[in-house]
Amino acid sequence: MELFFNPFDNLVCILRISFTVWFTLLLVFIIVPAIFGVSFGIRRLYMKTLLKIFEWATLRIERGAKEKNHHLYKPYSNAIIAKEPTSLEEEIKEIRRSGSNRDLDSASEFEMSDIFYFARRGVESIMDDEVTKRFSAEELESWNLLTRSNNNFHYISLRLTVLWGLGLLIRYGFLLPLRVTLAFTGVGLLVFLTSVVGLLPNGKIKNFLSKKVHLMCYRICVRALTAIITYHDSENKPKNGGICVANHTSPIDVIILASDGCYAMVGQIHGGLMGVIQRSMVKACPHVWFERSEVKDRHLVAKRLSDHVEDKSKLPILIFPEGTCINNTSVMMFKKGSFEIGATVYPVAIKYDPRFGDAFWNSSKFGMVNYLLRMMSSWAIVCSVWYLPPMSREEGEDAVQFANRVKAAIARQGGLVDLLWDGGLKRGKVKDTFKEEQQKLYSKMLVGTQEDRSRS
């Protein structure tokens, strides 16, 4: 019987030793540094090595395509139709000038040629839709050894194919299991430790332990994505009693920001695993969670947020005013709700480097589990975070104007395109107010022309 059980005992012993070594490495090189907020510089060395490999692979693709006379696909830019911004009145005058030899001042109130302006704008919108293309993955000039990131991927040489296969093995055979282990560790510790801290009476000790627990767990989750984050201007970090607003590319934006500071989260109450996490977090820290029936009540939401920011002992609220994820190329319209409260706003700009992995979450195409799998099977998540100086609502400025001023500052700092469109157009039709605005501009131009002729 001893001979029969020996192989099984040996297998158990090997598995036990492997698990001990694996856990020890995680503890020494990842979990403990995350607790103390230190880094050994391994991730940045890893990033620099990847960049050199990507450059070589891209050059090899271009050379191979040139040798075989293959056409290389070049990603389109952020704006296919490049033109200087002009007003409706200027463009219509130009159409009238080119289509008629008559003096513009003697032109009638309405001309058939005016129709061409609206027809041209309609065709331009179809060919170069500023909204729809903000919800598709950002395209790369170079190849990062991920088949999903470059349309030029095909067999070029044995060396390049072997390199791609080796990268596939590393990402799915080593990095993915490591990251899944770290993700479960971070989330598990977050649920357990916040529940324990929540048992303590309210006071300085509870607040101190809550901050330490949140920072530690979020830093472990950041390492689960091999996230390499560069924070700029930390002296402008959000302070208690304020509202932190940032552009929104991915659900991991929360982890990126929360690994460098503590925030009160705002959101709808969920069920399942997310619900368990929310219930444990709110025990240790006063987050602002809403029932599904309360989310659409603007007055109730505003009152809850206002009550929170009035208490200067509470953490700053973290809000993404776009209300949806945009593909890391632009910033879309900010909802005005968080700008009506009157609290100090701390703008934050987040910009991801798509060469290592696409952080954008296309929720209409990928579910959360599928998206996280793509994140954890990418090379890394590399991004820069800029803390901008605090901003307050100026005298005579309404909430919409204030929101646009904050949005413009974020877009300028992050090198993003500042768009006026509502991100909600991703799932809905164009609002009638947008159509009416164009009609009003045209009517105003005609009335203005008539008044000018009357005066003369």
Side-chain angles (χ1 to χ4, degrees):
M1 293 293 291
E2 289 183 9
L3 291 175
F4 179 77
F5 283 109
N6 275 339
F8 179 75
D9 292 340
N10 290 337
L11 180 61
V12 171
C13 184
I14 291 171
L15 290 175
R16 187 180 300 168
I17 293 172
S18 300
F19 177 78
T20 303
V21 172
W22 179 260
F23 184 76
T24 302
L25 292 173
L26 287 180
L27 191 67
V28 173
F29 291 102
I30 297 177
I31 297 177
V32 172
I35 294 173
F36 294 101
V38 297
S39 174
F40 295 129
I42 298 174
R43 284 176 294 167
R44 295 200 177 272
L45 178 62
Y46 167 71
M47 180 182 72
K48 291 178 181 178
T49 304
L50 284 176
L51 278 177
K52 292 186 180 296
I53 295 174
F54 296 163
E55 289 173 5
W56 176 85
T58 302
L59 290 173
R60 187 66 190 87
I61 284 180
E62 292 175 351
R63 192 175 69 187
K66 196 172 182 180
E67 291 172 354
K68 298 181 180 182
N69 292 323
H70 287 165
H71 174 70
L72 276 180
Y73 168 80
K74 290 292 184 183
Y76 57 76
S77 64
N78 286 338
I80 297 175
I81 302 175
K83 53 184 290 187
E84 292 295 325
T86 54
S87 67
L88 178 146
E89 185 174 357
E90 290 173 347
E91 291 202 36
I92 288 183
K93 282 184 177 180
E94 180 62 31
I95 291 174
R96 291 183 178 184
R97 185 181 294 112
S98 61
S100 175
N101 294 324
R102 292 178 299 168
D103 183 24
L104 289 177
D105 293 333
S106 63
S108 60
E109 294 181 11
F110 168 77
E111 287 195 5
M112 287 297 294
S113 61
D114 295 352
I115 297 173
F116 290 113
Y117 166 78
F118 298 101
R120 187 182 69 190
R121 290 299 299 270
V123 173
E124 286 180 359
S125 296
I126 294 172
M127 296 296 295
D128 187 38
D129 182 5
E130 282 190 331
V131 176
T132 305
K133 69 183 182 183
R134 307 300 170 181
F135 302 107
S136 58
E138 186 179 3
E139 298 190 54
L140 302 179
E141 291 282 355
S142 59
W143 186 39
N144 60 3
L145 300 182
L146 301 177
T147 53
R148 59 178 178 253
S149 68
N150 195 294
N151 290 335
N152 294 316
F153 175 74
H154 50 73
Y155 179 78
I156 296 292
S157 69
L158 179 61
R159 189 187 304 174
L160 196 60
T161 304
V162 168
L163 182 62
W164 172 82
L166 182 61
L168 189 72
L169 183 63
I170 292 172
R171 288 187 294 110
Y172 284 94
F174 175 71
L175 292 178
L176 182 59
L178 173 64
R179 290 166 176 171
V180 170
T181 303
L182 285 173
F184 277 106
T185 302
V187 173
L189 285 174
L190 180 65
V191 172
F192 174 73
L193 293 177
T194 51
S195 298
V196 171
V197 172
L199 299 175
L200 299 175
N202 293 330
K204 292 183 178 180
I205 295 177
K206 181 178 180 179
N207 293 338
F208 174 79
L209 290 176
S210 174
K211 289 181 180 179
K212 293 299 179 183
V213 165
H214 279 86
L215 282 173
M216 178 191 73
C217 295
Y218 282 123
R219 285 168 180 167
I220 293 174
C221 291
V222 158
R223 284 160 171 78
L225 298 167
T226 316
I228 305 163
I229 314 166
T230 304
Y231 297 98
H232 305 272
D233 305 319
S234 295
E235 66 275 9
N236 296 325
K237 286 172 66 172
K239 295 179 174 56
N240 289 3
I243 298 178
C244 173
V245 299
N247 57 299
H248 200 23
T249 302
S250 161
I252 66 174
D253 293 338
V254 175
I255 301 174
I256 297 296
L257 294 177
S259 64
D260 191 48
C262 293
Y263 299 91
M265 309 298 175
V266 178
Q268 180 180 310
I269 295 175
H270 295 274
L273 176 60
M274 183 60 71
V276 172
I277 297 172
Q278 287 180 318
R279 288 191 293 273
S280 61
M281 287 173 62
V282 80
K283 292 176 183 176
C285 178
H287 299 284
V288 186
W289 304 130
F290 296 96
E291 295 288 350
R292 182 183 293 273
S293 58
E294 298 175 331
V295 172
K296 294 183 179 180
D297 189 339
R298 292 183 63 251
H299 297 291
L300 176 62
V301 172
K303 187 178 185 311
R304 292 275 302 276
L305 296 179
S306 181
D307 292 342
H308 184 99
V309 298
E310 285 176 1
D311 188 347
K312 301 304 178 183
S313 65
K314 291 184 177 179
L315 296 174
I317 294 175
L318 175 59
I319 294 179
F320 301 100
E322 288 168 297
T324 189
C325 295
I326 314 297
N327 72 349
N328 195 45
T329 63
S330 57
V331 185
M332 302 190 81
M333 187 182 81
F334 279 6
K335 305 293 190 295
K336 65 178 182 179
S338 53
F339 298 91
E340 294 176 322
I341 298 172
T344 302
V345 170
Y346 295 86
V348 175
I350 306 174
K351 177 68 174 177
Y352 291 89
D353 189 337
R355 292 175 295 179
F356 302 90
D358 181 24
F360 168 60
W361 181 34
N362 188 347
S363 56
S364 60
K365 188 175 181 181
F366 301 108
M368 178 59 75
V369 175
N370 194 336
Y371 168 75
L372 290 176
L373 178 63
R374 290 168 68 88
M375 287 296 94
M376 291 186 176
S377 61
S378 296
W379 289 111
I381 298 298
V382 179
C383 72
S384 294
V385 175
W386 290 272
Y387 297 109
L388 279 66
M391 302 174 70
S392 300
R393 194 164 159 181
E394 296 177 349
E395 188 176 350
E397 186 178 47
D398 62 26
V400 174
Q401 292 170 332
F402 183 30
N404 287 334
R405 183 160 60 91
V406 173
K407 177 168 69 78
I410 290 175
R412 188 165 51 249
Q413 181 63 73
L416 303 165
V417 180
D418 185 3
L419 297 176
L420 296 175
W421 295 103
D422 183 0
L425 291 172
K426 175 170 70 171
R427 298 184 180 87
K429 295 181 179 179
V430 177
K431 295 180 180 178
D432 290 336
T433 53
F434 289 132
K435 302 175 186 177
E436 291 170 2
E437 185 178 349
Q438 292 297 315
Q439 293 169 353
K440 288 178 181 178
L441 286 173
Y442 183 59
S443 300
K444 186 177 179 181
M445 186 199 79
L446 295 180
V447 171
T449 303
Q450 186 179 22
E451 290 177 353
D452 290 342
R453 286 203 304 270
S454 299
R455 291 195 197 99
S456 61

mmCIF file of all heavy atoms in Angstrom, residues 277-310:
data_model
loop_
_atom_site.group_PDB
_atom_site.id
_atom_site.type_symbol
_atom_site.label_atom_id
_atom_site.label_comp_id
_atom_site.label_asym_id
_atom_site.label_seq_id
_atom_site.Cartn_x
_atom_site.Cartn_y
_atom_site.Cartn_z
ATOM 1 N N ILE A 277 -19.193 43.914 -2.313
ATOM 2 C CA ILE A 277 -18.096 44.878 -2.174
ATOM 3 C C ILE A 277 -18.629 46.226 -1.690
ATOM 4 O O ILE A 277 -18.045 46.855 -0.789
ATOM 5 C CB ILE A 277 -17.357 45.041 -3.515
ATOM 6 C CG1 ILE A 277 -16.714 43.716 -3.923
ATOM 7 C CG2 ILE A 277 -16.306 46.136 -3.433
ATOM 8 C CD1 ILE A 277 -16.116 43.716 -5.320
ATOM 9 N N GLN A 278 -19.746 46.687 -2.267
ATOM 10 C CA GLN A 278 -20.318 47.979 -1.879
ATOM 11 C C GLN A 278 -20.741 47.983 -0.415
ATOM 12 O O GLN A 278 -20.472 48.953 0.318
ATOM 13 C CB GLN A 278 -21.514 48.317 -2.776
ATOM 14 C CG GLN A 278 -21.143 48.717 -4.193
ATOM 15 C CD GLN A 278 -22.369 49.046 -5.021
ATOM 16 O OE1 GLN A 278 -23.386 48.353 -4.962
ATOM 17 N NE2 GLN A 278 -22.296 50.108 -5.801
ATOM 18 N N ARG A 279 -21.395 46.925 0.017
ATOM 19 C CA ARG A 279 -21.884 46.875 1.402
ATOM 20 C C ARG A 279 -20.737 46.839 2.407
ATOM 21 O O ARG A 279 -20.824 47.426 3.487
ATOM 22 C CB ARG A 279 -22.798 45.658 1.599
ATOM 23 C CG ARG A 279 -24.148 45.801 0.920
ATOM 24 C CD ARG A 279 -25.101 44.696 1.371
ATOM 25 N NE ARG A 279 -24.670 43.384 0.915
ATOM 26 C CZ ARG A 279 -24.998 42.861 -0.267
ATOM 27 N NH1 ARG A 279 -25.738 43.557 -1.117
ATOM 28 N NH2 ARG A 279 -24.589 41.655 -0.601
ATOM 29 N N SER A 280 -19.649 46.161 2.053
ATOM 30 C CA SER A 280 -18.502 46.109 2.964
ATOM 31 C C SER A 280 -17.760 47.442 2.996
ATOM 32 O O SER A 280 -17.328 47.905 4.052
ATOM 33 C CB SER A 280 -17.548 44.986 2.551
ATOM 34 O OG SER A 280 -17.045 45.198 1.249
ATOM 35 N N MET A 281 -17.636 48.110 1.828
ATOM 36 C CA MET A 281 -16.927 49.386 1.759
ATOM 37 C C MET A 281 -17.632 50.482 2.547
ATOM 38 O O MET A 281 -16.992 51.292 3.222
ATOM 39 C CB MET A 281 -16.769 49.825 0.301
ATOM 40 C CG MET A 281 -15.752 49.022 -0.503
ATOM 41 S SD MET A 281 -15.768 49.458 -2.254
ATOM 42 C CE MET A 281 -15.306 51.186 -2.208
ATOM 43 N N VAL A 282 -18.960 50.514 2.464
ATOM 44 C CA VAL A 282 -19.706 51.585 3.117
ATOM 45 C C VAL A 282 -19.680 51.449 4.642
ATOM 46 O O VAL A 282 -19.958 52.413 5.363
ATOM 47 C CB VAL A 282 -21.164 51.614 2.586
ATOM 48 C CG1 VAL A 282 -22.016 50.545 3.270
ATOM 49 C CG2 VAL A 282 -21.774 52.999 2.753
ATOM 50 N N LYS A 283 -19.326 50.281 5.136
ATOM 51 C CA LYS A 283 -19.196 50.097 6.589
ATOM 52 C C LYS A 283 -17.988 50.853 7.137
ATOM 53 O O LYS A 283 -18.002 51.325 8.278
ATOM 54 C CB LYS A 283 -19.056 48.610 6.933
ATOM 55 C CG LYS A 283 -20.310 47.786 6.665
ATOM 56 C CD LYS A 283 -20.047 46.322 6.941
ATOM 57 C CE LYS A 283 -21.280 45.472 6.607
ATOM 58 N NZ LYS A 283 -21.009 44.019 6.788
ATOM 59 N N ALA A 284 -16.940 50.956 6.316
ATOM 60 C CA ALA A 284 -15.703 51.595 6.768
ATOM 61 C C ALA A 284 -15.597 53.046 6.356
ATOM 62 O O ALA A 284 -14.834 53.813 6.938
ATOM 63 C CB ALA A 284 -14.488 50.815 6.243
ATOM 64 N N CYS A 285 -16.351 53.442 5.316
ATOM 65 C CA CYS A 285 -16.206 54.790 4.754
ATOM 66 C C CYS A 285 -17.563 55.257 4.226
ATOM 67 O O CYS A 285 -18.293 54.459 3.626
ATOM 68 C CB CYS A 285 -15.167 54.758 3.633
ATOM 69 S SG CYS A 285 -14.923 56.340 2.809
ATOM 70 N N PRO A 286 -17.931 56.520 4.421
ATOM 71 C CA PRO A 286 -19.250 57.002 3.981
ATOM 72 C C PRO A 286 -19.341 57.234 2.478
ATOM 73 O O PRO A 286 -19.274 58.360 1.993
ATOM 74 C CB PRO A 286 -19.411 58.315 4.758
ATOM 75 C CG PRO A 286 -18.023 58.799 4.976
ATOM 76 C CD PRO A 286 -17.181 57.571 5.147
ATOM 77 N N HIS A 287 -19.446 56.153 1.694
ATOM 78 C CA HIS A 287 -19.679 56.277 0.264
ATOM 79 C C HIS A 287 -21.147 56.639 0.020
ATOM 80 O O HIS A 287 -21.992 56.485 0.908
ATOM 81 C CB HIS A 287 -19.333 54.971 -0.452
ATOM 82 C CG HIS A 287 -17.908 54.567 -0.300
ATOM 83 N ND1 HIS A 287 -16.887 55.173 -0.985
ATOM 84 C CD2 HIS A 287 -17.318 53.611 0.478
ATOM 85 C CE1 HIS A 287 -15.728 54.616 -0.648
ATOM 86 N NE2 HIS A 287 -15.960 53.671 0.225
ATOM 87 N N VAL A 288 -21.433 57.125 -1.178
ATOM 88 C CA VAL A 288 -22.800 57.574 -1.497
ATOM 89 C C VAL A 288 -23.400 56.605 -2.507
ATOM 90 O O VAL A 288 -23.157 56.710 -3.709
ATOM 91 C CB VAL A 288 -22.795 59.014 -2.058
ATOM 92 C CG1 VAL A 288 -24.227 59.507 -2.249
ATOM 93 C CG2 VAL A 288 -22.023 59.953 -1.145
ATOM 94 N N TRP A 289 -24.187 55.645 -2.019
ATOM 95 C CA TRP A 289 -24.836 54.670 -2.885
ATOM 96 C C TRP A 289 -26.321 54.997 -3.007
ATOM 97 O O TRP A 289 -26.965 55.379 -2.036
ATOM 98 C CB TRP A 289 -24.687 53.248 -2.348
ATOM 99 C CG TRP A 289 -23.288 52.784 -2.098
ATOM 100 C CD1 TRP A 289 -22.815 52.193 -0.966
ATOM 101 C CD2 TRP A 289 -22.160 52.828 -2.989
ATOM 102 N NE1 TRP A 289 -21.484 51.877 -1.083
ATOM 103 C CE2 TRP A 289 -21.049 52.257 -2.321
ATOM 104 C CE3 TRP A 289 -21.977 53.302 -4.281
ATOM 105 C CZ2 TRP A 289 -19.790 52.150 -2.896
ATOM 106 C CZ3 TRP A 289 -20.720 53.203 -4.860
ATOM 107 C CH2 TRP A 289 -19.652 52.622 -4.170
ATOM 108 N N PHE A 290 -26.882 54.839 -4.204
ATOM 109 C CA PHE A 290 -28.291 55.125 -4.461
ATOM 110 C C PHE A 290 -29.017 53.854 -4.877
ATOM 111 O O PHE A 290 -28.464 53.008 -5.582
ATOM 112 C CB PHE A 290 -28.445 56.160 -5.584
ATOM 113 C CG PHE A 290 -27.886 57.513 -5.245
ATOM 114 C CD1 PHE A 290 -26.609 57.873 -5.646
ATOM 115 C CD2 PHE A 290 -28.639 58.422 -4.533
ATOM 116 C CE1 PHE A 290 -26.089 59.113 -5.346
ATOM 117 C CE2 PHE A 290 -28.136 59.671 -4.220
ATOM 118 C CZ PHE A 290 -26.858 60.020 -4.619
ATOM 119 N N GLU A 291 -30.283 53.750 -4.456
ATOM 120 C CA GLU A 291 -31.150 52.697 -4.968
ATOM 121 C C GLU A 291 -31.497 53.009 -6.424
ATOM 122 O O GLU A 291 -31.430 54.163 -6.855
ATOM 123 C CB GLU A 291 -32.435 52.604 -4.139
ATOM 124 C CG GLU A 291 -32.237 52.186 -2.685
ATOM 125 C CD GLU A 291 -31.871 50.719 -2.541
ATOM 126 O OE1 GLU A 291 -31.969 49.988 -3.558
ATOM 127 O OE2 GLU A 291 -31.482 50.323 -1.431
ATOM 128 N N ARG A 292 -31.883 51.969 -7.176
ATOM 129 C CA ARG A 292 -32.215 52.162 -8.590
ATOM 130 C C ARG A 292 -33.321 53.213 -8.764
ATOM 131 O O ARG A 292 -33.284 54.031 -9.688
ATOM 132 C CB ARG A 292 -32.667 50.830 -9.201
ATOM 133 C CG ARG A 292 -32.982 50.896 -10.684
ATOM 134 C CD ARG A 292 -33.482 49.552 -11.182
ATOM 135 N NE ARG A 292 -32.449 48.550 -11.125
ATOM 136 C CZ ARG A 292 -31.560 48.320 -12.080
ATOM 137 N NH1 ARG A 292 -31.593 49.043 -13.185
ATOM 138 N NH2 ARG A 292 -30.662 47.367 -11.961
ATOM 139 N N SER A 293 -34.309 53.211 -7.861
ATOM 140 C CA SER A 293 -35.428 54.149 -7.974
ATOM 141 C C SER A 293 -35.013 55.585 -7.653
ATOM 142 O O SER A 293 -35.703 56.538 -8.024
ATOM 143 C CB SER A 293 -36.555 53.727 -7.028
ATOM 144 O OG SER A 293 -36.087 53.686 -5.682
ATOM 145 N N GLU A 294 -33.885 55.772 -6.955
ATOM 146 C CA GLU A 294 -33.457 57.110 -6.541
ATOM 147 C C GLU A 294 -32.568 57.797 -7.572
ATOM 148 O O GLU A 294 -32.421 59.013 -7.548
ATOM 149 C CB GLU A 294 -32.687 57.022 -5.211
ATOM 150 C CG GLU A 294 -33.505 56.491 -4.050
ATOM 151 C CD GLU A 294 -32.669 56.319 -2.797
ATOM 152 O OE1 GLU A 294 -31.445 56.068 -2.935
ATOM 153 O OE2 GLU A 294 -33.225 56.426 -1.697
ATOM 154 N N VAL A 295 -31.953 57.014 -8.464
ATOM 155 C CA VAL A 295 -30.957 57.564 -9.377
ATOM 156 C C VAL A 295 -31.536 58.660 -10.266
ATOM 157 O O VAL A 295 -30.875 59.669 -10.546
ATOM 158 C CB VAL A 295 -30.352 56.435 -10.243
ATOM 159 C CG1 VAL A 295 -29.452 57.008 -11.328
ATOM 160 C CG2 VAL A 295 -29.567 55.473 -9.363
ATOM 161 N N LYS A 296 -32.792 58.505 -10.713
ATOM 162 C CA LYS A 296 -33.392 59.462 -11.638
ATOM 163 C C LYS A 296 -33.972 60.691 -10.925
ATOM 164 O O LYS A 296 -34.420 61.619 -11.583
ATOM 165 C CB LYS A 296 -34.478 58.767 -12.460
ATOM 166 C CG LYS A 296 -33.926 57.693 -13.391
ATOM 167 C CD LYS A 296 -35.016 57.080 -14.250
ATOM 168 C CE LYS A 296 -34.445 56.031 -15.186
ATOM 169 N NZ LYS A 296 -35.490 55.407 -16.038
ATOM 170 N N ASP A 297 -33.966 60.669 -9.602
ATOM 171 C CA ASP A 297 -34.462 61.817 -8.839
ATOM 172 C C ASP A 297 -33.312 62.812 -8.655
ATOM 173 O O ASP A 297 -32.509 62.701 -7.734
ATOM 174 C CB ASP A 297 -35.009 61.346 -7.489
ATOM 175 C CG ASP A 297 -35.737 62.453 -6.737
ATOM 176 O OD1 ASP A 297 -35.495 63.641 -7.045
ATOM 177 O OD2 ASP A 297 -36.532 62.132 -5.836
ATOM 178 N N ARG A 298 -33.219 63.799 -9.549
ATOM 179 C CA ARG A 298 -32.102 64.738 -9.553
ATOM 180 C C ARG A 298 -32.001 65.519 -8.250
ATOM 181 O O ARG A 298 -30.912 65.789 -7.759
ATOM 182 C CB ARG A 298 -32.216 65.699 -10.735
ATOM 183 C CG ARG A 298 -32.027 65.034 -12.086
ATOM 184 C CD ARG A 298 -32.085 66.029 -13.238
ATOM 185 N NE ARG A 298 -30.994 66.996 -13.157
ATOM 186 C CZ ARG A 298 -31.162 68.274 -12.840
ATOM 187 N NH1 ARG A 298 -32.357 68.741 -12.546
ATOM 188 N NH2 ARG A 298 -30.127 69.083 -12.803
ATOM 189 N N HIS A 299 -33.146 65.904 -7.685
ATOM 190 C CA HIS A 299 -33.136 66.701 -6.457
ATOM 191 C C HIS A 299 -32.607 65.888 -5.278
ATOM 192 O O HIS A 299 -31.843 66.394 -4.451
ATOM 193 C CB HIS A 299 -34.547 67.218 -6.153
ATOM 194 C CG HIS A 299 -35.080 68.147 -7.200
ATOM 195 N ND1 HIS A 299 -34.569 69.418 -7.395
ATOM 196 C CD2 HIS A 299 -36.071 67.989 -8.129
ATOM 197 C CE1 HIS A 299 -35.217 70.014 -8.385
ATOM 198 N NE2 HIS A 299 -36.128 69.167 -8.859
ATOM 199 N N LEU A 300 -33.001 64.613 -5.212
ATOM 200 C CA LEU A 300 -32.526 63.754 -4.133
ATOM 201 C C LEU A 300 -31.023 63.514 -4.254
ATOM 202 O O LEU A 300 -30.278 63.575 -3.262
ATOM 203 C CB LEU A 300 -33.274 62.412 -4.160
ATOM 204 C CG LEU A 300 -32.804 61.365 -3.137
ATOM 205 C CD1 LEU A 300 -33.017 61.869 -1.722
ATOM 206 C CD2 LEU A 300 -33.533 60.041 -3.351
ATOM 207 N N VAL A 301 -30.563 63.257 -5.474
ATOM 208 C CA VAL A 301 -29.133 63.035 -5.701
ATOM 209 C C VAL A 301 -28.338 64.276 -5.327
ATOM 210 O O VAL A 301 -27.317 64.199 -4.640
ATOM 211 C CB VAL A 301 -28.878 62.661 -7.184
ATOM 212 C CG1 VAL A 301 -27.382 62.628 -7.478
ATOM 213 C CG2 VAL A 301 -29.507 61.315 -7.518
ATOM 214 N N ALA A 302 -28.814 65.442 -5.768
ATOM 215 C CA ALA A 302 -28.120 66.697 -5.463
ATOM 216 C C ALA A 302 -28.060 66.938 -3.962
ATOM 217 O O ALA A 302 -27.028 67.401 -3.435
ATOM 218 C CB ALA A 302 -28.813 67.858 -6.157
ATOM 219 N N LYS A 303 -29.154 66.642 -3.247
ATOM 220 C CA LYS A 303 -29.176 66.857 -1.793
ATOM 221 C C LYS A 303 -28.192 65.930 -1.082
ATOM 222 O O LYS A 303 -27.457 66.355 -0.172
ATOM 223 C CB LYS A 303 -30.589 66.633 -1.249
ATOM 224 C CG LYS A 303 -30.726 67.006 0.230
ATOM 225 C CD LYS A 303 -32.138 66.816 0.711
ATOM 226 C CE LYS A 303 -32.288 67.304 2.157
ATOM 227 N NZ LYS A 303 -31.256 66.783 3.068
ATOM 228 N N ARG A 304 -28.148 64.655 -1.489
ATOM 229 C CA ARG A 304 -27.216 63.704 -0.871
ATOM 230 C C ARG A 304 -25.765 64.136 -1.081
ATOM 231 O O ARG A 304 -24.933 64.077 -0.174
ATOM 232 C CB ARG A 304 -27.429 62.303 -1.461
ATOM 233 C CG ARG A 304 -28.748 61.641 -1.094
ATOM 234 C CD ARG A 304 -28.687 60.913 0.236
ATOM 235 N NE ARG A 304 -27.666 59.892 0.255
ATOM 236 C CZ ARG A 304 -27.826 58.641 -0.220
ATOM 237 N NH1 ARG A 304 -28.984 58.288 -0.756
ATOM 238 N NH2 ARG A 304 -26.849 57.771 -0.151
ATOM 239 N N LEU A 305 -25.458 64.587 -2.299
ATOM 240 C CA LEU A 305 -24.100 65.037 -2.602
ATOM 241 C C LEU A 305 -23.775 66.321 -1.844
ATOM 242 O O LEU A 305 -22.662 66.486 -1.315
ATOM 243 C CB LEU A 305 -23.936 65.259 -4.105
ATOM 244 C CG LEU A 305 -24.072 64.033 -5.015
ATOM 245 C CD1 LEU A 305 -23.895 64.436 -6.471
ATOM 246 C CD2 LEU A 305 -23.060 62.964 -4.648
ATOM 247 N N SER A 306 -24.738 67.225 -1.775
ATOM 248 C CA SER A 306 -24.536 68.492 -1.074
ATOM 249 C C SER A 306 -24.296 68.266 0.414
ATOM 250 O O SER A 306 -23.412 68.892 1.020
ATOM 251 C CB SER A 306 -25.747 69.403 -1.292
ATOM 252 O OG SER A 306 -25.565 70.641 -0.652
ATOM 253 N N ASP A 307 -25.080 67.372 1.009
ATOM 254 C CA ASP A 307 -24.895 67.053 2.435
ATOM 255 C C ASP A 307 -23.519 66.465 2.689
ATOM 256 O O ASP A 307 -22.898 66.734 3.734
ATOM 257 C CB ASP A 307 -25.976 66.067 2.903
ATOM 258 C CG ASP A 307 -27.368 66.696 2.928
ATOM 259 O OD1 ASP A 307 -27.437 67.942 2.919
ATOM 260 O OD2 ASP A 307 -28.357 65.941 2.930
ATOM 261 N N HIS A 308 -23.026 65.682 1.740
ATOM 262 C CA HIS A 308 -21.712 65.048 1.915
ATOM 263 C C HIS A 308 -20.588 66.082 1.877
ATOM 264 O O HIS A 308 -19.709 66.078 2.746
ATOM 265 C CB HIS A 308 -21.493 64.002 0.818
ATOM 266 C CG HIS A 308 -20.222 63.235 0.955
ATOM 267 N ND1 HIS A 308 -20.144 61.971 1.509
ATOM 268 C CD2 HIS A 308 -18.926 63.567 0.631
ATOM 269 C CE1 HIS A 308 -18.888 61.565 1.506
ATOM 270 N NE2 HIS A 308 -18.138 62.508 0.970
ATOM 271 N N VAL A 309 -20.609 66.973 0.889
ATOM 272 C CA VAL A 309 -19.507 67.930 0.735
ATOM 273 C C VAL A 309 -19.520 69.007 1.818
ATOM 274 O O VAL A 309 -18.494 69.645 2.082
ATOM 275 C CB VAL A 309 -19.513 68.586 -0.666
ATOM 276 C CG1 VAL A 309 -19.324 67.537 -1.741
ATOM 277 C CG2 VAL A 309 -20.799 69.367 -0.910
ATOM 278 N N GLU A 310 -20.683 69.239 2.434
ATOM 279 C CA GLU A 310 -20.743 70.226 3.512
ATOM 280 C C GLU A 310 -20.006 69.767 4.752
ATOM 281 O O GLU A 310 -19.575 70.593 5.566
ATOM 282 C CB GLU A 310 -22.207 70.533 3.850
ATOM 283 C CG GLU A 310 -22.898 71.414 2.814
ATOM 284 C CD GLU A 310 -24.367 71.632 3.121
ATOM 285 O OE1 GLU A 310 -24.831 71.109 4.167
ATOM 286 O OE2 GLU A 310 -25.041 72.309 2.329
#
